[in-house]
Amino acid sequence: MTDRVRPVDLVLAIAETLHQVHHQELPEVCERYGLEPGKPSEAYDGKKWYVRRRIKSWELHRLVVLGGRVLDDFRSEELEELMRRCGTRGVAGDFKNLIFAANGPKPEIVLRDAVNNQVEIVKNAQFCLVYDRVLPNEGLSWAALVSWWSESQGRPTDDLVHPGRLLYARLAEALDPNSPPEQLFFKEYCALYGTHPIDKIPALIPQVYLHYDPYTARERRAPGPLPRQRMDFLLLLPQNQRVVIEIDGKQHYCDDEGRPSPRKYAEMMAEDRRLRLAGYEVFRFGAAELAADPHSSSTTVRAFITELFLRYHLRL
């Protein structure tokens, strides 16, 4: 559990892991990780101490991010175990495709290169967004998403406030107009962008394609092999951690006539299990939970966000 990992445990494990770096190279390696600059002569006096004195006062959330970066470069079973206990397992595999925020007809996708997993949208591409950059180890922040949006729209990136507002409006277009709870969650989360450093706040990404089925439900006329094609919201956090947030209206557990459907509920639970086993974390809200008193609903969302950020060592 996270509460069993002390900052000092990570400090010692990181220092031990970096002990394998030659003392002449250690200052440069540490500086690359954002540590205070130093000289090889200082590292020569004690490599572990060189690292420890630079991070001994760091808080746990900073050490978790640093530990992940160190593990990207060096092997350490001890550090890996501590990171696992901190809840930083993450999703296996490389980040490749982020297709999201469709505000029109479903995009038609082909596998252009099956060897390299290269997909291409051949129809309705104008109705969705495709993030096409390498995902940094720190995850996808609102600042990074706005910067990508600004450059894709041919806008300057020296001031991200105005393009950020335009991107917010564009993302809001993808929300279900018949789901006030979904809109409330989006609004409450995105309020963070105006009150906190936007390079620290993970971007809330709406309507992300997880699977792709070329057939519509009407064309298939039977339950398909991919029960959930899109996520309501996705957060891409540090160390390849991915958090799915779903706002469940009755369509999640009722048939087309509005009657309770054990089959649909079972499909939803099976897909949640599959996602969790793949390394995703899934959090669900019942739409009714966010559809009562607006003040109470907003308080519920804000409390959840605070607890979620604490869980993943993200500081507001």
Side-chain angles (χ1 to χ4, degrees):
M1 297 295 293
T2 302
D3 58 359
R4 295 179 182 174
V5 177
R6 302 171 301 168
V8 65
D9 297 327
L10 282 175
V11 168
L12 295 175
I14 291 170
E16 180 67 35
T17 303
L18 292 178
H19 185 261
Q20 58 193 284
V21 180
H22 194 278
H23 74 272
Q24 290 184 332
E25 301 173 354
L26 186 60
E28 181 181 349
V29 170
C30 289
E31 194 169 350
R32 188 172 71 240
Y33 292 139
L35 276 62
E36 175 189 342
K39 298 179 180 180
S41 57
E42 184 185 357
Y44 186 82
D45 293 335
K47 291 188 288 185
K48 294 180 184 179
W49 176 243
Y50 180 93
V51 176
R52 287 165 55 186
R53 69 179 296 270
R54 284 164 169 77
I55 62 175
K56 63 182 180 180
S57 61
W58 284 25
E59 296 182 6
L60 185 62
H61 74 279
R62 290 187 68 191
L63 292 168
V64 167
V65 173
L66 175 61
R69 295 183 64 189
V70 170
L71 285 176
D72 286 341
D73 298 328
F74 303 98
R75 183 175 179 81
S76 167
E77 293 183 2
E78 178 186 4
L79 184 55
E80 284 182 358
E81 173 61 17
L82 288 173
M83 295 292 287
R84 185 194 64 77
R85 287 165 54 193
C86 283
T88 57
R89 174 180 52 167
V91 177
D94 296 327
F95 173 91
K96 295 183 177 70
N97 306 303
L98 185 61
I99 303 172
F100 63 105
N103 62 354
K106 178 180 178 178
E108 293 187 10
I109 302 173
V110 298
L111 192 58
R112 176 64 65 187
D113 185 340
V115 175
N116 293 318
N117 193 31
Q118 180 182 352
V119 302
E120 180 179 341
I121 301 175
V122 294
K123 187 177 180 180
N124 298 326
Q126 69 271 29
F127 298 112
C128 62
L129 302 179
V130 182
Y131 183 82
D132 55 2
R133 294 183 176 177
V134 174
L135 184 68
N137 191 55
E138 294 77 15
L140 185 58
S141 69
W142 177 242
L145 191 65
V146 174
S147 177
W148 159 80
W149 164 262
S150 299
E151 292 184 14
S152 67
Q153 300 296 307
R155 298 178 179 274
T157 58
D158 52 341
D159 180 10
L160 298 179
V161 175
H162 180 62
R165 290 172 179 166
L166 295 176
L167 177 57
Y168 171 87
R170 170 61 185 82
L171 296 180
E173 293 175 2
L175 304 178
D176 184 351
N178 298 314
S179 177
E182 185 177 306
Q183 297 174 30
L184 181 143
F185 186 93
F186 182 75
K187 179 180 178 181
E188 288 295 337
Y189 184 96
C190 293
L192 296 173
Y193 303 153
T195 57
H196 297 82
I198 60 175
D199 61 331
K200 304 296 183 183
I201 302 297
L204 183 68
I205 311 167
Q207 298 300 317
V208 179
Y209 275 94
L210 173 64
H211 305 307
Y212 182 75
D213 187 338
Y215 297 102
T216 65
R218 179 172 299 180
E219 290 170 336
R220 186 174 287 283
R221 296 184 180 180
L226 306 174
R228 183 193 306 164
Q229 292 194 52
R230 288 194 293 183
M231 311 171 185
D232 286 344
F233 299 107
L234 176 67
L235 295 170
L236 297 170
L237 304 181
Q239 313 309 322
N240 222 22
Q241 298 173 107
R242 302 176 191 175
V243 172
V244 178
I245 300 167
E246 295 283 354
I247 314 296
D248 293 344
K250 65 179 182 179
Q251 72 275 11
H252 289 79
Y253 50 82
C254 290
D255 60 22
D256 294 339
E257 283 73 40
R259 296 171 300 195
S261 172
R263 177 186 61 79
K264 292 191 72 171
Y265 180 79
E267 287 178 350
M268 182 174 69
M269 293 298 100
E271 180 64 11
D272 278 3
R273 291 196 303 273
R274 192 195 69 80
L275 280 175
R276 290 192 178 101
L277 289 173
Y280 289 79
E281 187 63 89
V282 182
F283 295 94
R284 290 187 172 276
F285 286 88
E289 185 180 4
L290 304 181
D293 175 65
H295 176 73
S296 175
S297 299
S298 296
T299 300
T300 297
V301 172
R302 289 195 293 267
F304 166 75
I305 294 171
T306 298
E307 293 177 10
L308 180 72
F309 278 32
L310 288 173
R311 166 70 175 78
Y312 286 95
H313 315 294
L314 301 168
R315 295 190 64 187
L316 291 177

